[in-house]
Amino acid sequence: TIDGVAIAFYSLHICSSRDREKTGHAYKLANEVLPKENEERVIVVGDFNNNIGDIAMNTIEKAGFKATWEELKIDVSKEYTYNAFDPKKNLGVIDHILYKSSAGAKTTDGGIIELKKPLSDHKAIWAEIVFPRELKKAADFQENIDPKTSKPGEVRVMSWNILYKGWEKKGHASWKERSASAVQILAKYRPDVVGLQEESKEQINYIRKALSEYTYLDPYKNKGGGLLIRTKAWRVIKSGKIAIPGRRQASWSLLEST
């Protein structure tokens, strides 16, 4: 954990904007939302509905954010996170975890969680990100962290569109059939923060009853898009929601390790 060091965490669910360079959700996120964040250590996760290399994702990366896939040496052109229920109709990797590159962080572990029996139409993704305790000045910033001097801390994050109960299509597992396995996945990877999409109150109540070390931040009042925080390790300093022009939004939280 990162003793006394604050991290800003954003979880979002935006629309595809591959052909809308200056009007899509990604453009608004990169140019209107994230520039207002004062913290240097920033993580953004979610269902982006865009692939790495699209105009949308390039816009976010040009704003100073780096996807974890490259450091994990995962070739996203050969993988997919949607559609887990129907692989023949997959759209590639459209769920991502990014961090602000100027913070000097490194991705040390992570990946796409593969299951024989999918629990949602989206696969969960996770990453372990190491931040240096002392941020380098712009003049002497180096991309690679020297582990002997940087005194890094770790934060494990996850993004998962778990699919609303009742939204399952014919032949897909119901939430009753998926619920126990969903809890097992969270218990196995034990993320510090989970950015959720398409979760219902009933689903969250089930998860929290099984995993009492997590609290749930619900800025949209039972409309999905909330955050699960492992409060035994992290203290919530403040949290809220941000509207992204175009009828989308992001939930956020500023955290400090306990």
Side-chain angles (χ1 to χ4, degrees):
T1 61
I2 309 176
D3 295 332
V5 175
I7 294 176
F9 186 90
Y10 290 77
S11 175
L12 52 85
H13 187 181
I14 62 177
C15 291
S16 172
S17 51
R18 294 179 178 85
D19 57 349
R20 289 175 285 168
E21 185 174 0
K22 294 187 177 181
T23 59
H25 292 147
Y27 178 85
K28 302 291 186 181
L29 175 71
N31 292 278
E32 298 181 19
V33 176
L34 294 175
K36 297 178 181 178
E37 176 55 60
N38 294 321
E39 291 296 328
E40 191 64 22
R41 300 173 182 85
V42 184
I43 296 174
V44 183
V45 311
D47 177 355
F48 287 77
N49 277 304
N50 285 279
N51 303 96
I52 295 296
D54 289 345
I55 289 176
M57 296 308 299
N58 288 344
T59 299
I60 298 173
E61 291 182 329
K62 286 178 181 178
F65 286 81
K66 185 175 183 177
T68 56
W69 303 120
E70 181 180 350
E71 290 175 329
L72 293 172
K73 301 186 184 307
I74 294 176
D75 185 350
V76 293
S77 69
K78 299 179 180 179
E79 305 290 343
Y80 67 94
T81 58
Y82 179 91
N83 184 341
F85 284 150
D86 193 349
K88 292 182 179 180
K89 296 182 179 179
N90 82 77
L91 298 181
V93 175
I94 62 173
D95 302 86
H96 307 287
I97 297 172
L98 302 97
Y99 62 83
K100 193 172 182 179
S101 56
S102 61
K106 291 284 287 185
T107 308
T108 57
D109 201 358
I112 301 169
I113 299 176
E114 304 287 353
L115 303 172
K116 291 182 178 179
K117 188 174 182 180
L119 302 179
S120 169
D121 50 354
H122 286 255
K123 298 178 182 179
I125 61 174
W126 71 282
E128 193 166 84
I129 300 171
V130 178
F131 286 95
R133 177 174 295 280
E134 299 297 331
L135 295 178
K136 296 178 182 292
K137 296 179 181 178
D140 61 6
F141 173 75
Q142 298 177 359
E143 184 170 348
N144 293 322
I145 298 172
D146 181 353
K148 296 179 181 178
T149 60
S150 61
K151 297 180 180 179
E154 296 179 352
V155 57
R156 180 171 290 203
V157 299
M158 179 181 286
S159 178
W160 198 358
N161 183 325
I162 65 173
L163 187 65
Y164 282 123
K165 175 188 176 183
W167 280 25
E168 305 91 348
K169 295 181 180 179
K170 185 177 180 180
H172 297 163
S174 66
W175 172 245
K176 184 177 181 180
E177 296 171 300
R178 295 184 284 132
S179 55
S181 295
V183 166
Q184 290 174 3
I185 291 295
L186 292 169
K188 176 181 177 180
Y189 289 90
R190 207 185 183 200
D192 296 305
V193 190
V194 185
L196 293 170
Q197 303 91 44
E198 295 185 10
E199 78 279 12
S200 68
K201 182 178 181 179
E202 180 178 341
Q203 289 170 306
I204 289 300
N205 288 342
Y206 180 91
I207 291 171
R208 290 200 61 220
K209 184 176 180 180
L211 302 173
S212 60
E213 67 175 340
Y214 286 92
T215 192
Y216 177 61
L217 302 183
D218 183 21
Y220 298 102
K221 306 301 180 185
N222 301 322
K223 293 182 180 179
L227 303 174
L228 280 174
I229 311 291
R230 193 164 67 88
T231 48
K232 287 187 177 181
W234 296 91
R235 177 170 54 254
V236 178
I237 300 174
K238 53 184 178 180
S239 63
K241 59 184 179 181
I242 298 174
I244 300 175
R247 300 178 65 184
R248 287 285 174 162
Q249 63 281 319
S251 54
W252 64 272
S253 181
L254 183 62
L255 307 173
E256 185 176 57
S257 62
T258 56

